Amino acid sequence: MIEKPGKLQPALAGGLIIGVLSSIPLIKAGNLCCCLWVLLGGAIAARMLIKRSPYLPITTGEGAEVGALAGVVSAGVVLVIGVPLDLLLSGSNSQSLQQMADAAGDPAFRELMLQGAAMMRDHAVLVALLTWFIQSILHIAFATVGGMIGVAMFERRKGQQPPSPPSAPDYGGPGYAPPGPPPGGPPPTGQSHYGQGPPPSY
């Protein structure tokens, strides 16, 4: 019986792509466009799963599952790489908000920016972890959608009967040669291999 391949390796690959691209400064801004990197990683995980299943087609539900697993993996990658980078850059981010507050003409907006800058300056770890938690939820949700999109784009076998896997002919077990004609060809009708007359009767 043919079994479908495991989802762990595609999920690890897709999650690593999502996590790395979502952790690097400037590059992670691509997620501002409809979580672009997250959708891409989920679709890549689904495509890898399809490639690993040459006989049985992958369903939309399985694509969603491998995408969700990729989102979970990406959350771990961001926790290890992205959060420390955010903490290193928290000082510059706080200064950026301070500058935006100084340039703001609206007093309400200015006050909001000042509060954000103070929060990032005084509670950098808490802000980084809260941001990571919200980001993780978004990653799982959008990677699930990416997996479904990947199945819709790359799975061309939906509704088709899976082909039968190639199988070797059975010759009676190992060590047996395939049957063939006896030496000298088949005997004439009514004759045996041991003489020219009919086989003896007992």
Side-chain angles (χ1 to χ4, degrees):
M1 180 179 179
I2 305 175
E3 295 183 358
K4 290 189 177 181
K7 301 179 180 64
L8 181 59
Q9 290 187 5
L12 288 175
L16 186 62
I17 292 173
I18 298 171
V20 171
L21 294 179
S22 300
S23 300
I24 300 176
L26 298 180
I27 294 179
K28 67 180 182 180
N31 280 332
L32 297 177
C33 180
C34 300
C35 287
L36 176 62
W37 303 138
V38 185
L39 292 174
L40 177 63
I44 289 176
R47 177 175 172 81
M48 290 184 62
L49 184 63
I50 292 169
K51 291 294 185 182
R52 289 168 56 86
S53 179
Y55 298 111
L56 299 177
I58 300 301
T59 65
T60 302
E62 290 168 333
E65 183 179 349
V66 74
L69 291 175
V72 173
V73 173
S74 72
V77 175
V78 172
L79 180 62
V80 174
I81 299 177
V83 171
L85 287 177
D86 289 341
L87 290 175
L88 288 175
L89 299 174
S90 60
S92 61
N93 292 335
S94 177
Q95 293 178 359
S96 299
L97 288 179
Q98 183 70 46
Q99 294 175 357
M100 292 176 62
D102 295 338
D106 185 2
F109 182 74
R110 183 175 184 275
E111 182 65 22
L112 181 62
M113 291 294 101
L114 288 175
Q115 292 178 359
M119 179 69 72
M120 295 184 66
R121 183 176 59 253
D122 301 332
H123 307 283
V125 176
L126 178 62
V127 171
L129 291 178
L130 181 61
T131 302
W132 168 79
F133 178 75
I134 297 174
Q135 187 178 10
S136 299
I137 296 175
L138 293 175
H139 278 198
I140 295 173
F142 279 88
T144 301
V145 176
M148 298 169 66
I149 293 175
V151 172
M153 291 177 59
F154 303 117
E155 182 56 87
R156 306 299 183 186
R157 301 168 295 178
K158 293 185 287 291
Q160 300 180 7
Q161 291 291 333
S164 300
S167 58
D170 185 9
Y171 295 130
Y176 285 88
T189 304
Q191 295 185 1
S192 69
H193 288 292
Y194 304 100
Q196 300 299 321
S201 59
Y202 300 98

